[in-house]
Amino acid sequence: MKKIKEIIFVNDVVNGIPLSLESSYGLFSKDKLDLGTKVMLENLIIPESGVVADVGCGYGPIGIYLALKNPSLKVYMLDVDKKAVYYSRKNVSRYGLENRVHVIQSDIFENIPPEIKFNAIYSNPPLKAGKAFIERLASTSYDRVSEGGLIQLVVYKGEENVINLFRQKFKNVEVYKRIKGYSIIVIRKD
């Protein structure tokens, strides 16, 4: 007997923007928008224009939300996981955003040309990637964010560690908000 593949959709509305994203087993928060991502989306600091990155994009809620919220942005959605990249691409296509949203399989910025600079970088760091992910993001993002740009992260635990890691290269690191156990951390390149 053939196994029937179940299609999973994550449906939510954030700040008036409806999200309906296809997901699958094996992906983080496969059947609902996780609270950390939702808290982040509700409190995003979004540039008026430019190029932004969603690092560790999963099936795409942050990157797609950014593209829908601000049509002036070019969005890069990055994830090391092939399945996440596949579903992100499917979701970008569902919304017809292929002309300005690029989904790339990449371990942080590894597969992004060095000349590409971002006005903003966003991430809900994957817990399974652990401290190593945050360390690599902190050490590589300074050269990837443009002058006056920002990095915005949401973390559930280890707020102080995250702040200390980013302060090694950035002067302006702050907790923007704390909501329901989550910390939204904003790092600015002045």
Side-chain angles (χ1 to χ4, degrees), residues 28-94:
F28 173 69
S29 198
K30 71 181 179 308
D31 52 6
K32 70 179 190 308
L33 206 56
D34 70 288
L35 186 55
T37 297
K38 189 158 186 167
V39 162
M40 183 166 182
L41 293 179
E42 290 169 346
N43 294 282
L44 281 179
I45 300 168
I46 304 173
E48 288 182 25
S49 61
V51 182
V52 300
D54 173 6
V55 180
C57 66
Y59 53 81
I62 294 172
I64 289 170
Y65 177 87
L66 286 161
L68 295 172
K69 184 82 173 162
N70 185 347
S72 299
L73 294 176
K74 182 176 184 179
V75 181
Y76 282 83
M77 295 170 52
L78 314 174
D79 205 297
V80 71
D81 183 87
K82 284 181 186 180
K83 188 181 239 185
V85 167
Y86 172 79
Y87 281 95
S88 279
R89 287 183 178 146
K90 281 185 85 162
N91 289 321
V92 166
S93 293
R94 284 173 53 80

Side-chain angles (χ1 to χ4, degrees), residues 30-181:
K30 71 181 179 308
D31 52 6
K32 70 179 190 308
L33 206 56
D34 70 288
L35 186 55
T37 297
K38 189 158 186 167
V39 162
M40 183 166 182
L41 293 179
E42 290 169 346
N43 294 282
L44 281 179
I45 300 168
I46 304 173
E48 288 182 25
S49 61
V51 182
V52 300
D54 173 6
V55 180
C57 66
Y59 53 81
I62 294 172
I64 289 170
Y65 177 87
L66 286 161
L68 295 172
K69 184 82 173 162
N70 185 347
S72 299
L73 294 176
K74 182 176 184 179
V75 181
Y76 282 83
M77 295 170 52
L78 314 174
D79 205 297
V80 71
D81 183 87
K82 284 181 186 180
K83 188 181 239 185
V85 167
Y86 172 79
Y87 281 95
S88 279
R89 287 183 178 146
K90 281 185 85 162
N91 289 321
V92 166
S93 293
R94 284 173 53 80
Y95 281 94
L97 298 169
E98 300 93 337
N99 61 332
R100 60 190 181 86
V101 178
H102 307 282
V103 182
I104 299 169
Q105 185 173 355
S106 182
D107 186 3
I108 305 187
F109 304 114
E110 191 174 85
N111 295 330
I112 305 301
E115 65 273 10
I116 295 175
K117 306 288 184 209
F118 300 103
N119 299 87
I121 297 168
Y122 304 94
S123 187
N124 179 357
L127 287 176
K128 69 178 181 181
K131 188 178 176 186
F133 177 89
I134 299 287
E135 287 172 344
R136 286 195 337 277
L137 184 61
S139 68
T140 59
S141 57
Y142 188 84
D143 294 331
R144 291 309 193 130
V145 68
S146 57
E147 289 297 322
L150 66 87
I151 301 163
Q152 189 170 357
L153 310 171
V154 62
V155 296
Y156 185 66
K157 291 183 177 174
E159 169 190 298
E160 196 172 310
N161 288 335
V162 172
I163 289 169
N164 291 335
L165 285 168
F166 277 91
R167 280 198 177 138
Q168 291 174 17
K169 294 209 176 201
F170 295 87
K171 291 178 187 149
N172 192 339
V173 181
E174 67 177 348
V175 175
Y176 179 63
K177 286 188 179 175
R178 289 184 184 97
I179 302 167
K180 298 178 182 174

